[in-house]
Amino acid sequence: MYVCSCFGITETEVRAHADAGACTPRRIASVSKAGTDCGSCVRRIQSILGRGAGCPRRELLGGPAEAPAGLVDEALVVPETVLTEAA
């Protein structure tokens, strides 16, 4: 079943990305673009992912949570210095 009709992303693909470590809607978006166009699928993605079970918390990692290697589209990554300057 399609979760994101804008980019043709299926529930199976979302679950596979989640199993590989993309445990938030933002991480799913960075690896598949799901949720980045009309946004109507974001709630469905959230429901598939659950309430963050299995997603390491930043405090436990000692810094910002990182996506596993190969799951991040480098063009979508914002340098941490930009994030800290905006805060």
Side-chain angles (χ1 to χ4, degrees), residues 65-87:
E66 296 291 328
L71 285 180
V72 177
D73 181 351
E74 297 299 326
L76 298 174
V77 176
V78 178
E80 190 172 327
T81 55
V82 173
L83 296 175
T84 56
E85 290 174 3

Side-chain angles (χ1 to χ4, degrees), residues 17 55 70 80 86:
H17 289 306
C55 190
E80 190 172 327

Side-chain angles (χ1 to χ4, degrees), residues 4 28 30 34 57 61 87:
C4 176
I28 295 293
S30 73
R57 292 178 41 201
L61 294 174

Side-chain angles (χ1 to χ4, degrees), residues 14-85:
V14 170
R15 289 185 190 281
H17 289 306
D19 290 345
C23 55
T24 65
R26 184 169 287 177
R27 288 184 180 174
I28 295 293
S30 73
V31 296
S32 69
K33 294 187 182 178
T36 61
D37 194 26
C38 77
S40 67
C41 61
V42 173
R43 287 185 186 246
R44 178 71 180 132
I45 292 169
Q46 288 172 329
S47 126
I48 292 168
L49 297 175
R51 297 187 50 85
C55 190
R57 292 178 41 201
R58 288 182 183 198
E59 299 84 37
L60 299 176
L61 294 174
E66 296 291 328
L71 285 180
V72 177
D73 181 351
E74 297 299 326
L76 298 174
V77 176
V78 178
E80 190 172 327
T81 55
V82 173
L83 296 175
T84 56
E85 290 174 3

Side-chain angles (χ1 to χ4, degrees), residues 1-5 8-12 14 34 40-41 44-45 48:
M1 169 188 258
Y2 285 100
V3 172
C4 176
S5 56
I9 306 300
T10 65
E11 184 172 336
T12 303
V14 170
S40 67
C41 61
R44 178 71 180 132
I45 292 169
I48 292 168

